[in-house]
């Protein structure tokens, strides 16, 4: 599931299990854990800012009841992204995306019900 947002520049999303595309630009892994069965060579990543992924505790808490906890998960994750390190990483990616495409790479199966939409929302906020 590759998602493109507009012309060159901006943000795109791609699962790490998909082949990298010519238009991916800068490829950034946005998960806390390394994806299973993927070598660094195959992933072809430019960066892995773990501070942008949900904390381990929040990630585990959400997985106990994905459907029932998503709204609260999103609220808590937004709060985590406001901390100093994640906020600086968000600013860096926004600057990169102003120049060329930044593809957020993830290993999650259900991208639409994961941390990725919350992260995209935070990245698009100026």
């Amino acid at each position: 599931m590759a998602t493109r947002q507009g012309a060159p520049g901006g943000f795109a999303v791609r699962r790490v299990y998909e082949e990298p595309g010519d238009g991916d630009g800068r490829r950034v892994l946005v998960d806390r854990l390394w994806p299973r069965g993927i070598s660094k060579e195959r992933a072809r990543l430019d960066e892995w800012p773990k501070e942008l992924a949900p904390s381990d505790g929040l990630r585990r808490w959400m997985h106990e009841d994905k459907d029932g906890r998503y709204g609260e998960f999103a609220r808590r994750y937004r709060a985590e992204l406001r901390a100093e390190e994640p906020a600086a990483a968000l600013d860096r990616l926004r600057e990169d995306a102003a120049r060329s495409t930044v593809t957020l790479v993830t290993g999650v199966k259900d991208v639409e019900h994961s941390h990725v939409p919350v992260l995209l929302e935070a990245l698009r906020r100026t």
Side-chain angles (χ1 to χ4, degrees), residues 76-102:
R76 291 182 186 187
Y77 180 40
R78 283 184 200 102
E80 287 185 355
L81 290 172
R82 287 191 289 271
E84 186 176 340
E85 271 189 71
L90 288 170
D91 287 342
R92 220 176 36 251
L93 288 182
R94 284 184 195 111
E95 290 170 8
D96 290 347
R99 293 186 295 274
S100 65
T101 301
V102 172

Side-chain angles (χ1 to χ4, degrees), residues 4-69:
R4 292 276 164 231
Q5 303 298 331
F11 295 99
V13 174
R14 186 181 294 276
R15 290 195 69 229
V16 72
Y17 303 101
E18 299 172 8
E19 286 298 315
D22 292 338
D24 281 357
R26 185 166 182 73
R27 290 173 53 87
V28 179
L29 182 65
V30 294
D31 295 342
R32 175 83 42 187
L33 304 174
W34 187 263
R36 283 186 186 183
I38 297 292
S39 68
K40 289 183 180 183
E41 293 76 28
R42 182 171 170 214
R44 296 203 327 231
L45 298 170
D46 297 299
E47 187 178 358
W48 184 16
K50 294 178 190 170
E51 65 272 17
L52 288 180
S55 65
D56 192 52
L58 182 58
R59 182 183 58 79
R60 289 175 189 263
W61 176 82
M62 206 256 297
H63 283 286
E64 291 173 9
D65 180 10
K66 289 181 185 180
D67 295 329
R69 293 184 173 176

Side-chain angles (χ1 to χ4, degrees), residues 104-120:
L104 307 181
V105 180
T106 183
V108 299
K109 291 178 186 174
D110 185 2
V111 175
E112 286 145 16
H113 298 99
S114 72
H115 67 290
V116 176
V118 180
L119 179 58
L120 271 171

